[in-house]
Amino acid sequence: MEDVLTVRRWRRYGADRLYVTRGTGARVGSVDLQSGEVVVDDPLLEGRLRRAAQAYLRADVTELAMTVPAPGVGALDPVDESALQAWLGGDDWDTIDLAAIRGERGSSVRTRLERMADEGWQVVHDVPLGRQGSLVEHLVVGPGGIFTVAERRHAGQHVVVEGRTLRVDGCSTSYLRDARLEAARVRDALLAAACAAVNVRGVVVVQGELEMRTVQPGHDAFAISRQDLQTVFRALPVRLDPARIAAIAHVARQSSTWSH
């Protein structure tokens, strides 16, 4: 017999968790992606929860349904077990190395942005934009201006940016359009919170084989590779002085700014 586990990600109010449910809708448990804490309702299901969480993080999708052996069923036969382990990347199923899976060992977008603090940049993470549960992954305020930053993972895929279009393995995406819309919403919220004459641009940070066919940093939304993130931000012309940066960052950290 087999069971289907569904994994969904929940990111609000600074929290970032995976919730796993069975095909019946019954809750299996959760994984806190910030602390690594695993909470399981039934100890017999912990191994299955960890497998599903690993698969979700590797797949980089919004929701994952994964078929696993039902509780009480014996181990997989050697061929199936080898195939599943190869698909999950060969890791021990009893260990979820979140830092490695999410690329956060000293080289994540969050870490790279925070390293620019000494150069006058301030970052607000997981900004709750509006009442519908939307989150801005990173809001960056610094000498070069104000930016929303979102990461898109396409390891091993060919990503081409040309004009206002971003394609992954030849397929067009809405990444740049979404970044423009998100930046516009952030700008409107800051204006409503009395930050006068602000301009916000969207940045899509790509993990993958990125080919740039257009020079973009002057656009209202642009894409860069993760390894070039700091270089591009440091090369931007100065638009904001330290006092203005501090004032805007202060407003950005107030929950009331984003509750409309």
Side-chain angles (χ1 to χ4, degrees), residues 73-237:
V73 176
L76 295 174
D77 64 59
V79 174
D80 287 343
E81 184 165 346
S82 296
L84 183 55
Q85 188 167 2
W87 178 57
L88 292 176
D91 289 343
D92 183 348
W93 285 339
D94 292 331
T95 302
I96 299 178
D97 189 345
L98 296 175
I101 291 172
R102 299 172 69 199
E104 293 183 354
R105 283 185 173 161
S107 61
S108 71
V109 169
R110 177 185 292 254
T111 300
R112 290 172 186 268
L113 291 172
E114 289 177 348
R115 285 175 179 166
M116 298 193 300
D118 291 342
E119 301 166 50
W121 293 86
Q122 298 198 37
V123 189
V124 185
H125 304 292
D126 297 330
V127 176
L129 188 57
R131 301 174 182 269
Q132 306 304 314
S134 300
L135 282 182
V136 178
E137 292 180 36
H138 315 283
L139 178 59
V140 185
V141 185
I146 310 170
F147 303 87
T148 60
V149 177
E151 183 175 18
R152 297 294 177 261
R153 298 179 180 89
H154 292 283
Q157 295 180 280
H158 187 207
V159 181
V160 175
V161 177
E162 188 169 14
R164 297 167 72 91
T165 303
L166 187 152
R167 296 190 298 275
V168 177
D169 285 345
C171 298
S172 295
T173 72
S174 63
Y175 292 162
L176 291 176
R177 183 202 66 189
D178 294 345
R180 285 192 292 271
L181 293 174
E182 183 176 74
R185 291 184 65 192
V186 168
R187 179 202 61 212
D188 291 346
L190 291 174
L191 288 171
C195 292
V198 293
N199 182 45
V200 182
R201 289 187 283 170
V203 179
V204 178
V205 180
V206 177
Q207 179 186 350
E209 181 188 337
L210 180 61
E211 178 185 349
M212 307 291 294
R213 295 182 180 174
T214 306
V215 178
Q216 310 170 85
H219 292 187
D220 52 0
F222 59 93
I224 54 179
S225 65
R226 190 165 66 178
Q227 59 266 30
D228 291 335
L229 187 152
Q230 291 162 295
T231 301
V232 170
F233 272 76
R234 287 166 177 156
L236 292 168

Side-chain angles (χ1 to χ4, degrees), residues 43-59:
L44 293 176
L45 298 176
E46 182 172 354
R48 295 167 179 82
L49 180 146
R50 290 177 180 272
R51 289 185 194 179
Q54 281 182 327
Y56 176 93
L57 290 168
R58 291 187 185 282

